[in-house]
Amino acid sequence: MKLRSKAAALLLLALLALLLGLLSLRARRAEPPAAPEPPARPASAPQRRPARPPGPGPRALPGPAARRRRPPRLRPAAGRRSSASLEKLARRPGGPRNFQAVVPPEFWIHLAVVACGDRLEETLVMLKSAVLFSHRKIWFHIFTEDSLKPEFDKKLRQWPDSYTKKFEHRIYPITFSVGNPQEWKKLFKPCAAQRLFLPVILKDVDSLLYVDTDVLFLRPVDDIWKLLKLFNATQLAAMAPEHEISKIGWYSRFARHPFYGSAGVNSGVMLMNLTRMRNAQFKSSMTPAGLAWKDMLYPLYQKYKNAITWGDQDLLNIIFYFNPECLYVFPCQWNYRPDHCMYGSNCKEAEREGVSVLHGNRGVYHDDKQPTFKAFYEAIRDFPFQDNLFQSMYYPLQLKFLETVHTLCGRIPQVFLKQIEKTMKRTYEKHVIIHVGPDYRH
């Protein structure tokens, strides 16, 4: 009996030892093996990226997705936003109304005008023509008398939001930094000489488009702004010729002072690189040394004031006579005046491309001497902002042109209508076809 009890106890101990051994073995298998230390690498050995351990590839996507894997989305580099995305950012609810705080200066068009006397309505019609067709943001720099400041501000703020979001404006007093202000103010038309001082006043503006109050844009301002890129290393301003045929031009026949080229230039539409104008040294007949723009104006006026007829335009002609390498001359379609058609059609660029910028000098918007010019002015002035361009502007304009076929300018309606028709088609396509979509179905 005792032997049987001892055998049972030994068997129980053996089973217990076997069980402990099995548990110990399972615990050792569950532990990850210790990684062996890598052998020391010689200092001169090249550093190599360890090879990726072999393993199963990415799981196959079911169905067509397996054949059409979507590429990873690339994020735009920091600090590089398109003009469209910047404009969307500027229009976020609660964001700043001042778009210049969001949109970088290179995306802005700067447009300057000088308006005194009875030029309020004419200036507003010009500004209206600029915003009707423009694509980029425009900053209006309006120089005017104190009595007109509240009227300009009031009228511009009354325009619909769909147009006021396309521009900002600032109104400046009439100021002349050198010489007698009253003498400058009466030089030609009221305040017109102010344009000579724009490089001095607008110190924070790099480039500028200056226009007279009697100018109308028949295509986006963006297009004439692009001409700044055509300047070479020495050019700092751009104007159109005063006349295409020197034999019948005013300067070639009557000027008593130096003027640019064979027929002079007209300053009613003038592109300016203000940075270059502020930094340049200009040649003149007054001193062998070069003069800065701000130091040249008053001595130049004092020397030629008894010989000039057209005021500040004559002074600009004198400046670029002595500095022809500084001027870029753009075609007459960008400054189309009655002179280009009242003696017969003599602007070949307008015949090919159509009038891009209409300049109604000689007061032709307000009399019946050139009804073609007056028709454009009245069509843009009377256009209701929210109406359809074709129905409320282009069709009435065509009807008005039918009444002008007996005039020299009215005999070439295609010259006047070609560019504005293209502009309206582009505007229609942008706002209707693109927004609705080419695949739109009722």
Side-chain angles (χ1 to χ4, degrees):
M1 190 70 182
K2 291 183 178 179
L3 291 174
R4 187 178 297 175
S5 299
K6 289 183 179 179
L10 290 174
L11 180 61
L12 182 61
L13 288 175
L15 289 174
L16 183 61
L18 179 62
L19 181 61
L20 290 175
L22 290 174
L23 290 175
S24 176
L25 178 63
R26 180 176 295 181
R28 284 198 302 271
R29 287 180 177 178
E31 293 178 0
E37 294 185 2
R41 190 189 302 254
S44 60
Q47 298 287 333
R48 292 185 179 180
R49 181 178 298 176
R52 179 177 298 175
R59 288 186 298 174
L61 297 175
R67 300 187 300 271
R68 194 171 59 250
R69 293 185 62 81
R70 179 178 295 177
R73 180 177 297 177
L74 299 178
R75 295 184 178 181
R80 294 185 181 179
R81 291 182 180 267
S82 67
S83 58
S85 64
L86 287 165
E87 289 175 12
K88 289 180 180 178
L89 179 62
R91 291 198 295 270
R92 284 179 179 174
R97 174 67 181 92
N98 187 343
F99 292 104
Q100 201 170 26
V102 178
V103 182
E106 61 266 24
F107 291 116
W108 281 84
I109 293 174
H110 291 267
L111 177 65
V113 63
V114 179
C116 291
D118 60 352
R119 298 302 180 107
L120 174 65
E121 181 193 90
E122 196 173 77
T123 306
L124 288 170
V125 176
M126 180 275 292
L127 298 176
K128 185 178 182 180
S129 73
V131 299
L132 279 177
F133 309 122
S134 65
H135 304 310
R136 291 167 61 178
K137 304 290 185 185
I138 307 178
W139 191 282
F140 294 145
H141 302 271
I142 304 169
F143 292 81
T144 190
E145 298 166 306
D146 292 340
S147 60
L148 293 179
K149 288 181 182 179
E151 284 298 311
F152 270 113
D153 193 61
K154 176 184 175 182
K155 295 291 185 182
L156 290 172
R157 294 185 186 278
Q158 288 175 347
W159 289 1
D161 290 342
S162 57
Y163 288 94
T164 56
K165 71 181 182 181
K166 297 174 68 175
F167 71 90
E168 291 285 350
H169 71 278
R170 182 177 176 185
I171 303 175
Y172 305 78
I174 300 297
T175 55
F176 302 100
S177 56
V178 295
N180 184 343
Q182 293 302 317
E183 199 172 13
W184 282 117
K185 190 171 183 178
K186 298 177 181 178
L187 179 60
F188 182 49
K189 294 179 180 179
C191 310
Q194 181 71 79
R195 85 184 80 183
L196 296 174
F197 295 85
L198 296 180
V200 181
I201 298 171
L202 301 177
K203 295 179 181 179
D204 297 328
V205 178
D206 175 69
S207 296
L208 184 75
L209 172 62
Y210 167 86
V211 294
D212 286 347
T213 61
D214 51 8
V215 160
L216 295 173
F217 295 96
L218 307 188
R219 65 190 291 181
V221 185
D222 316 52
D223 294 340
I224 188 171
W225 189 256
K226 292 175 184 176
L227 298 180
L228 285 165
K229 296 181 180 179
L230 302 182
F231 285 16
N232 64 24
T234 63
Q235 291 166 341
L236 45 76
M239 289 182 277
E242 171 66 22
H243 211 287
E244 300 302 301
I245 305 173
S246 59
K247 291 182 179 180
I248 60 176
W250 192 92
Y251 282 107
S252 54
R253 291 186 295 164
F254 305 116
R256 295 178 293 128
H257 58 78
F259 56 89
Y260 178 87
S262 60
V265 286
N266 185 280
S267 61
V269 180
M270 184 177 179
L271 274 171
M272 293 181 277
N273 186 317
L274 299 183
T275 301
R276 290 186 179 184
M277 294 177 77
R278 286 187 287 263
N279 295 334
Q281 295 291 311
F282 294 88
K283 300 185 290 291
S284 68
S285 60
M286 298 174 291
T287 173
L291 291 173
W293 184 270
K294 64 179 181 178
D295 299 328
M296 170 179 57
L297 294 178
Y298 193 63
L300 194 71
Y301 166 69
Q302 287 294 318
K303 180 172 182 177
Y304 290 103
K305 65 180 180 180
N306 295 323
I308 59 179
T309 303
W310 307 111
D312 50 299
Q313 177 173 290
D314 290 347
L315 292 178
L316 288 168
N317 268 278
I318 295 169
I319 291 172
F320 291 110
Y321 168 83
F322 291 105
N323 302 271
E325 73 283 357
C326 295
L327 187 66
Y328 175 87
V329 180
F330 51 67
C332 49
Q333 64 158 319
W334 298 103
N335 188 351
Y336 192 91
R337 307 183 306 283
D339 304 69
H340 291 116
C341 56
M342 61 189 295
Y343 306 117
S345 181
N346 57 56
C347 178
K348 301 302 180 185
E349 287 293 328
E351 292 176 9
R352 286 192 290 267
E353 301 292 332
V355 175
S356 296
V357 178
L358 196 69
H359 186 180
N361 63 342
R362 302 176 182 267
V364 294
Y365 294 151
H366 312 291
D367 58 32
D368 297 321
K369 294 180 180 178
Q370 298 297 336
T372 49
F373 285 76
K374 188 177 181 180
F376 267 102
Y377 179 80
E378 292 179 346
I380 296 174
R381 181 196 64 191
D382 299 337
F383 171 69
F385 273 106
Q386 304 291 29
D387 281 12
N388 181 280
L389 280 170
F390 276 101
Q391 293 178 355
S392 301
M393 182 186 290
Y394 187 68
Y395 294 147
L397 191 59
Q398 285 184 317
L399 293 176
K400 287 179 179 290
F401 261 80
L402 292 176
E403 302 171 1
T404 69
V405 293
H406 62 284
T407 66
L408 283 171
C409 293
R411 292 177 184 176
I412 49 175
Q414 72 280 0
V415 171
F416 288 86
L417 297 175
K418 182 184 296 186
Q419 194 57 240
I420 195 169
E421 183 177 358
K422 290 181 181 178
T423 299
M424 289 187 179
K425 287 181 68 176
R426 281 189 292 175
T427 303
Y428 175 80
E429 291 170 355
K430 178 181 178 183
H431 291 287
V432 178
I433 297 177
I434 294 177
H435 286 183
V436 174
D439 297 328
Y440 175 77
R441 296 291 184 273
H442 292 285

